Amino acid sequence: MLPYINIPFQYASSATGASVDELKLITSFLLSYPFAGVLKRIPDAKPYQKNCFIIVVSLFYLVGLFDLWLGIRTLFISSAGAYLIASYVDGPFMPWIGFIFVMGHMSVNHTYRQFANAPSKVDITGAQMVLAMKLTAFCWNVQDGRLPQKDLADFQRERALRQLPSLLDFAGYVLFFPSLFAGPSFDFVDYRRWIETTMFEIPAGTDPSAAPKTRKKRKIPRSSTPAIIKAVIGLAWILSFLKFSRWYNSSLVLGDQYMQYGFLRRVWVLEMLGFSTRMKYYGVWYLTEGACILSGLGYKGVNPKTNKVDWDRLQNVNPWGIESAQNSRAYLENWNMNTNHWLRNYMYLRVTPKGKKPGFRASLATFVTSAFWHGFYPGYYLTFVLAAFLQTIAKNFRRHIRPFFLTPDGQRPTPYKIYYDVLSYLATQTAFCFTTAPFVLLTLPDSLLVWIRVYMYAVLGAAASMAFFASPAKPWLIKKLRERNQNALQPKEKAEHPLMGLPSDPAGDIDEAVKEIKEEVEARRRRGQSIGVPTGRDMKVAVEDKLGKKI
């Protein structure tokens, strides 16, 4: 750590109430803007200088600001391990070996942080969570590069790596300073296209007048205006968080004063606790995205409809989409968007055999991955499990209640649709402020205490809704909808993938798992195989048979 660097942060900490490390983290986000401006001005023809600059800035953050010498070792172990696995392990299991290594290493640090119990202190786990997404995706991209083109989906083909990058390019990708501590995550192909400036080539047929403006001989378009807008909004969210968190915090909902309020006010305080917590994430993600935009990596091309440059390649959150969400899917798909993409493209679709639709196994693997990626606090798991059931309930309401408020063809709202919208908005927001409270409180006793203090209203509501749709009411609703809509052409429902690793239909997944087990049992019976729990001798014989020798 640089000498005396803590002194100004200590003064600021006493004035704002934020911890020294939290203020340092915000400072690193703000410093990334001038550093990104310098990075952008390094000649396009000298990518090695860009890589070196990125590495030096990240080392300054890790050591100069936070004294995270052990953090450097942690990032090196994960990165070097993943690179070596991608280099020397051949075969279809290579990405899974990389995945187990990276996630296992991260789990060790999650466990250490949980026992240290210092949530306001910045350690390396945040950067390691971002890195885990990068490295697991990298292993899959390398594996895709070894497969025939015809065996790849469009997404895989676009991101496949036909040869391993140089160590310098890989180090620049791993330590990209604007997203080092809090994301956003991105694939290596994006980094390579950015550092080689092929990302900024204008497609043939584009209107020349719509070509983005550049300065001097740089290919990276001007991006200061969208970056500054992101920075201003991000700072506004951070300042709002510092103000609101004084009024609405964990101490309030756990203290005696909370129980002096009426039920509705307690629910309101719970909603504001969630909102004030989200402000912090909104601010952090806006600041980091703005620095990425200033460097040029946020470039997404020219929008053909508006003829303007889109800078949302690395957008990670949509606050309006969350705060105005009328169902769980809208709520979740606007939160931590790059993690959603990672879970979908590098877990949910990867465990699904080619030619088959994702099912129970894909949902379970994605759910477990998301849970382990976040850490091991019990509060995370309370949130995940309840949110999974809310997903199912929301889907049932969308399928069997919402159509009554639309015209028979499902294209236009009826005059009563506004009432459905208001009620679904209130239900979604109040259900999720209850569901996400353990994500803020973390521990099991605190989470259950706060849930009990609001009479478990979301759990009881979820149980009542599940029972309702499991009763004869559901077939009755389906019958009434058919009578109402008659032969009107209904829009097809889109296939839904898990958001944040949460299964979109837990009950359906369980039914599918039971069906698979029954089919396996029946298949074994037809083959004349016994069905039962294997004895120790049976297991020994099976192992010896696999090894080809006695044990």
Side-chain angles (χ1 to χ4, degrees):
M1 187 187 300
L2 294 177
Y4 311 112
I5 198 167
N6 269 352
I7 294 175
F9 294 107
Q10 289 168 349
Y11 281 113
S13 177
S14 60
T16 61
S19 72
V20 169
D21 273 8
E22 287 171 339
L23 292 171
K24 284 184 180 181
L25 193 62
I26 295 171
T27 301
S28 74
F29 298 149
L30 294 175
L31 284 175
S32 291
Y33 282 80
F35 285 146
V38 174
L39 175 63
K40 187 176 180 179
R41 284 160 176 78
I42 295 175
D44 294 339
K46 297 180 179 179
Y48 71 93
Q49 291 185 0
K50 292 187 178 184
N51 281 321
C52 291
F53 182 77
I54 289 167
I55 294 168
V56 168
V57 172
S58 287
L59 291 177
F60 162 68
Y61 287 167
L62 290 167
V63 178
L65 272 181
F66 292 104
D67 203 25
L68 290 173
W69 289 99
L70 292 179
I72 293 177
R73 185 186 69 181
T74 295
L75 298 185
F76 174 78
I77 292 172
S78 286
S79 304
Y83 192 89
L84 290 172
I85 289 169
S87 301
Y88 294 106
V89 178
D90 201 3
F93 294 110
M94 182 275 285
W96 296 113
I97 295 171
F99 173 84
I100 292 170
F101 170 76
V102 170
M103 294 292 285
H105 186 212
M106 183 178 66
S107 296
V108 172
N109 284 320
H110 272 316
T111 305
Y112 176 79
R113 178 175 174 81
Q114 186 167 337
F115 281 108
N117 195 28
S120 63
K121 185 175 179 60
V122 172
D123 65 1
I124 203 61
T125 51
Q128 197 177 10
M129 289 171 73
V130 177
L131 185 60
M133 290 190 283
K134 286 183 172 183
L135 295 179
T136 52
F138 175 79
C139 289
W140 276 111
N141 298 151
V142 171
Q143 177 66 14
D144 290 340
R146 296 170 179 171
L147 299 176
Q149 290 272 345
K150 60 183 179 61
D151 294 341
L152 302 177
D154 291 341
F155 176 85
Q156 294 172 277
R157 197 175 298 114
E158 178 190 346
R159 301 190 170 264
L161 297 175
R162 299 294 167 188
Q163 61 181 20
L164 283 172
S166 68
L167 288 175
L168 186 60
D169 282 353
F170 184 71
Y173 168 65
V174 164
L175 294 173
F176 188 70
F177 66 82
S179 65
L180 178 65
F181 288 113
S185 172
F186 49 88
D187 291 344
F188 183 81
V189 69
D190 293 323
Y191 183 79
R192 183 177 63 189
R193 292 177 63 221
W194 168 77
I195 205 163
E196 294 175 353
T197 67
T198 56
M199 175 185 288
F200 310 105
E201 294 175 354
I202 305 300
T206 303
D207 184 355
S209 63
K213 296 179 180 179
T214 60
R215 289 186 183 276
K216 299 180 180 178
K217 295 182 179 180
R218 289 200 304 268
K219 290 185 179 180
I220 302 177
R222 298 179 185 178
S223 56
S224 56
T225 300
I228 290 171
I229 291 172
K230 288 286 182 181
V232 170
I233 296 174
L235 280 174
W237 281 120
I238 292 292
L239 293 174
S240 299
F241 162 71
L242 292 174
K243 189 70 174 178
F244 275 74
S245 61
R246 292 182 177 180
W247 302 329
Y248 304 101
N249 48 56
S250 301
S251 299
L252 175 59
V253 296
L254 294 171
D256 295 334
Q257 181 184 351
Y258 187 58
M259 290 306 294
Q260 296 176 8
Y261 302 149
F263 171 70
L264 291 179
R265 186 172 179 184
R266 272 178 270 160
V267 174
W268 169 253
V269 169
L270 207 57
E271 168 64 33
M272 294 307 296
L273 172 65
F275 180 52
S276 62
T277 304
R278 290 194 296 276
M279 286 179 182
K280 175 175 66 176
Y281 290 97
Y282 294 162
V284 166
W285 285 334
Y286 262 73
L287 287 174
T288 55
E289 185 190 352
C292 289
I293 289 172
L294 190 58
S295 72
L297 192 57
Y299 179 79
K300 198 178 179 180
V302 179
N303 189 318
K305 294 181 179 179
T306 62
N307 279 339
K308 294 182 179 179
V309 175
D310 279 341
W311 290 100
D312 59 354
R313 176 184 292 275
L314 299 180
Q315 182 180 6
N316 209 29
V317 69
N318 177 9
W320 175 250
I322 294 168
E323 304 306 332
S324 64
Q326 296 177 20
N327 58 69
S328 60
R329 188 162 191 83
Y331 194 103
L332 293 171
E333 70 183 358
N334 288 293
W335 174 263
N336 209 348
M337 297 153 82
N338 287 290
T339 301
N340 276 325
H341 297 159
W342 171 67
L343 289 169
R344 179 179 188 272
N345 293 314
Y346 296 109
M347 179 51 64
Y348 184 66
L349 296 178
R350 299 291 179 161
V351 299
T352 305
K354 188 177 179 182
K356 292 188 176 182
K357 292 182 178 180
F360 168 74
R361 294 175 186 176
S363 295
L364 179 62
T366 310
F367 177 84
V368 172
T369 300
S370 179
F372 271 68
W373 181 79
H374 281 90
F376 303 111
Y377 281 104
Y380 295 157
Y381 295 84
L382 288 177
T383 294
F384 288 148
V385 171
L386 183 54
F389 284 100
L390 292 182
Q391 283 255 75
T392 301
I393 293 165
K395 180 187 286 187
N396 279 320
F397 272 94
R398 197 160 60 249
R399 285 179 178 175
H400 307 301
I401 304 294
R402 185 173 179 270
F404 285 104
F405 297 89
L406 301 174
T407 54
D409 61 2
Q411 300 297 319
R412 297 181 305 280
T414 66
Y416 302 102
K417 176 68 161 44
I418 183 65
Y419 300 111
Y420 176 87
D421 290 343
V422 170
L423 289 175
S424 61
Y425 169 77
L426 292 174
T428 298
Q429 297 297 329
T430 54
F432 267 90
C433 77
F434 177 96
T435 303
T436 57
F439 217 92
V440 179
L441 301 168
L442 299 178
T443 67
L444 185 62
D446 288 351
S447 300
L448 293 179
L449 174 63
V450 171
W451 274 10
I452 290 169
R453 286 181 163 188
V454 288
Y455 309 122
M456 292 280 190
Y457 71 85
V459 174
L460 296 176
S465 298
M466 295 290 288
F468 175 79
F469 286 110
S471 73
K474 184 175 177 179
W476 180 82
L477 286 171
I478 294 172
K479 178 183 175 183
K480 289 296 181 183
L481 273 177
R482 286 174 179 168
E483 292 175 357
R484 175 181 180 268
N485 298 340
Q486 295 178 353
N487 296 323
L489 185 64
Q490 296 295 308
K492 290 184 179 180
E493 274 198 2
K494 294 181 180 178
E496 295 183 355
H497 62 274
L499 294 168
M500 295 307 299
L502 302 176
S504 57
D505 187 3
D509 289 339
I510 293 170
D511 290 342
E512 184 180 339
V514 172
K515 182 182 177 183
E516 286 184 11
I517 294 170
K518 287 181 177 178
E519 288 175 351
E520 178 65 21
V521 169
E522 189 60 33
R524 290 193 175 193
R525 279 179 178 159
R526 285 197 298 268
R527 294 196 297 267
Q529 295 179 355
S530 61
I531 302 163
V533 178
T535 64
R537 180 175 178 77
D538 292 336
M539 294 178 69
K540 181 181 178 182
V541 170
V543 171
E544 288 176 342
D545 184 56
K546 288 289 185 184
L547 295 176
K549 61 180 181 180
K550 295 287 185 180
I551 57 174

